[in-house]
Amino acid sequence: IYLLVSQQPALISHVRRPYDHAGNMFEDPNVWVVWCGIFTSILQDPGLRMTYLIIGALDKCVTDLPQLLELITRTSCTSSPIKWIVSSRNWPDIEEQLEAATQKARLSLELNAESISTAVNAFIQNKVDQLAPKTKYDASMIGTIKDYLHSHANGTFLWVALVCQALADPKVKKRHILAKLQTFPRGLDSLYARMLKQIGDSEDAELCKQILAVAAAVRRPISLDELASLIEMPDDVSDDLESLEEIVKLCGSFLTIRERAVYFVHQSAKDFLLGTASDKAFNEASQEAFKLVFPAGMDDVSYVIFWRSLNAMSQKLRQDIYCLNAPGFLIDDVQAPNLDPLATVRYSCIYWIDHLRDFVSNTSAKWVRLLQDDGGVHKFLTTKYLYWLEALSLLRALSEGIKAIRS
């Protein structure tokens, strides 16, 4: 809706009218119904120009996916000048709901190998063209690299991208490039397994495994500041985010950093580490990866994230943490300080109870001690509860805190 109104300002009346009537629609308990009504109204506007709505990776939508699919199929059947373009893994529940659309064209990548191969070849050409000026390879070496990529890519863009990323590393000397190239096996599963072994053989192996485990377990991508509070940092880099960034980059085949936040390079990388890869051959290597990164299981990582979050918040949170001096300060007038005291605990403030719930079970005695009087949770709530609520307010996440306390 925001993009539609930005590109076609005349459509703003469809948003303005209900907003003037109801105020902040985000606080409406029926927010989905309200915004669907606005969206439908926009689609019926006679002034709406031909519009393409594109959604990538529908399978990554976790919350209320059936509602989104219903909206897509319903609006695709209208006579409005819009077309939806959606991509997804071929999951049966998604396919079944999209089948309800009366006017549709389906493109299965598995059945269009030739088109994919052409696209991957163009991608290889582009990546090698980017490599050439940086590395000063001669024509013969460029040809050898191209041939290897063509014969081993198996129609996978990500495989090409990861290999070219590794070849672009300044540490890889020109005279070693062909030998290095031969070490990259065919297919993503073998490549991930090789990269993980390489990480395991490095001097920072334990720290890398901690980082991979936390990155796979958290609810959203986390910043470097937040990551530093959730892992056991060595003394020599405990306050050095540049060193932490270097260590994250050692996990470059799995993780990437964008705007100082840590992301997985692709969903398949996360699936591989979690042992949930769907391909049978892939799954065997994936299960081994899970054992390496989560030797004590996911519950243990959830416990570590919870406990470190509790400790970090206990140390950081205090009254009037932004020094506003006025209890009734309007949130829209609040500006975080340049050195934000909440930077390291933003994730912890919102999600610590989620991770507590992850490992609470009847089979473990560990959580029982935590939830007793004078246990870790009780001490935190009796000393920091109001400061935590204040932090949630500053983070505009008070509703999440209310849900967490209820749970």
Side-chain angles (χ1 to χ4, degrees), residues 194-205:
R194 175 192 174 279
M195 295 294 192
L196 191 59
K197 182 180 185 307
Q198 190 172 308
I199 289 170
D201 292 339
S202 71
E203 294 179 355
D204 295 301

Side-chain angles (χ1 to χ4, degrees), residues 289-330:
F290 180 84
K291 292 174 187 175
L292 183 67
V293 176
F294 303 96
M298 281 289 290
D299 285 353
D300 190 68
V301 176
S302 289
Y303 172 77
V304 168
I305 293 174
F306 151 76
W307 190 243
R308 290 192 180 281
S309 292
L310 209 62
N311 286 337
M313 290 188 296
S314 297
Q315 293 173 28
K316 285 283 182 181
L317 299 185
R318 55 179 171 78
Q319 185 175 349
D320 194 17
I321 196 166
Y322 277 5
C323 300
L324 302 175
N325 298 320
F329 213 99
L330 293 173

Side-chain angles (χ1 to χ4, degrees), residues 228-300:
S229 68
L230 298 178
I231 60 175
E232 187 176 351
M233 296 278 284
D235 292 337
D236 56 340
V237 296
S238 57
D239 297 315
D240 184 358
L241 288 185
E242 285 189 11
S243 294
L244 178 59
E245 187 172 350
E246 285 179 12
I247 295 168
V248 172
K249 287 178 179 177
L250 290 177
C251 309
S253 47
F254 295 97
L255 303 177
T256 186
I257 298 174
R258 297 198 301 270
E259 297 178 350
R260 298 189 65 72
V262 180
Y263 296 82
F264 276 94
V265 296
H266 192 262
Q267 182 64 32
S268 63
K270 185 175 181 179
D271 291 346
F272 181 79
L273 295 179
L274 289 174
T276 57
S278 55
D279 181 82
K280 188 173 181 181
F282 200 175
N283 194 259
E284 189 174 334
S286 178
Q287 292 291 333
E288 291 301 314
F290 180 84
K291 292 174 187 175
L292 183 67
V293 176
F294 303 96
M298 281 289 290
D299 285 353
D300 190 68

Side-chain angles (χ1 to χ4, degrees), residues 54-234:
I54 304 173
I55 302 181
L58 264 176
D59 51 283
K60 290 186 183 177
C61 176
V62 178
T63 305
D64 296 330
L65 175 60
Q67 288 183 331
L68 176 58
L69 291 170
E70 189 277 331
L71 176 69
I72 292 171
T73 54
R74 174 164 51 85
T75 54
S76 69
C77 298
T78 65
S79 58
S80 61
I82 70 159
K83 289 186 183 294
W84 290 92
I85 301 175
V86 300
S87 72
S88 172
R89 295 182 182 186
N90 52 349
W91 288 1
D93 52 342
I94 292 177
E95 288 187 36
E96 286 169 11
Q97 292 207 55
L98 292 180
E99 277 298 315
T102 55
Q103 299 178 19
K104 60 184 178 290
R106 176 181 174 183
L107 176 66
S108 174
L109 296 186
E110 289 83 356
L111 301 178
N112 288 269
E114 187 176 338
S115 297
I116 295 174
S117 178
T118 301
V120 171
N121 289 343
F123 184 63
I124 289 172
Q125 181 66 54
N126 178 264
K127 298 303 286 186
V128 173
D129 286 346
Q130 291 176 7
L131 268 178
K134 293 180 183 177
T135 51
K136 298 180 180 176
Y137 297 153
D138 56 36
S140 173
M141 188 171 289
I142 290 293
T144 301
I145 293 172
K146 273 191 203 174
D147 290 343
Y148 191 86
L149 295 177
H150 283 306
S151 61
H152 287 69
N154 281 359
T156 307
F157 292 96
L158 183 60
W159 186 92
V160 177
L162 291 174
V163 172
C164 289
Q165 174 184 295
L167 295 179
D169 189 334
K171 296 176 184 175
V172 179
K173 304 300 179 187
K174 184 177 179 180
R175 63 182 180 277
H176 298 148
I177 196 69
L178 295 180
K180 175 83 172 175
L181 194 61
Q182 298 297 325
T183 65
F184 295 110
R186 188 190 304 269
L188 269 181
D189 52 343
S190 301
L191 183 60
Y192 282 147
R194 175 192 174 279
M195 295 294 192
L196 191 59
K197 182 180 185 307
Q198 190 172 308
I199 289 170
D201 292 339
S202 71
E203 294 179 355
D204 295 301
E206 289 308 312
L207 188 53
C208 284
K209 284 189 278 188
Q210 274 191 72
I211 291 170
L212 289 172
V214 168
V218 290
R219 270 22 185 210
R220 63 156 172 81
I222 53 176
S223 68
L224 289 170
D225 292 291
E226 293 166 333
L227 178 62
S229 68
L230 298 178
I231 60 175
E232 187 176 351
M233 296 278 284

Side-chain angles (χ1 to χ4, degrees), residues 305-371:
I305 293 174
F306 151 76
W307 190 243
R308 290 192 180 281
S309 292
L310 209 62
N311 286 337
M313 290 188 296
S314 297
Q315 293 173 28
K316 285 283 182 181
L317 299 185
R318 55 179 171 78
Q319 185 175 349
D320 194 17
I321 196 166
Y322 277 5
C323 300
L324 302 175
N325 298 320
F329 213 99
L330 293 173
I331 188 64
D332 289 334
D333 295 333
V334 173
Q335 284 193 338
N338 288 332
L339 295 174
D340 187 353
L342 292 177
T344 58
V345 292
R346 284 174 174 267
Y347 180 87
S348 298
C349 284
I350 298 172
Y351 295 105
W352 69 275
I353 291 179
D354 289 288
H355 290 285
L356 170 64
R357 290 185 65 200
D358 283 347
F359 71 85
V360 164
S361 69
N362 293 325
T363 59
S364 170
K366 187 186 293 183
W367 68 268
V368 176
R369 294 193 301 275
L370 281 170
L371 297 180

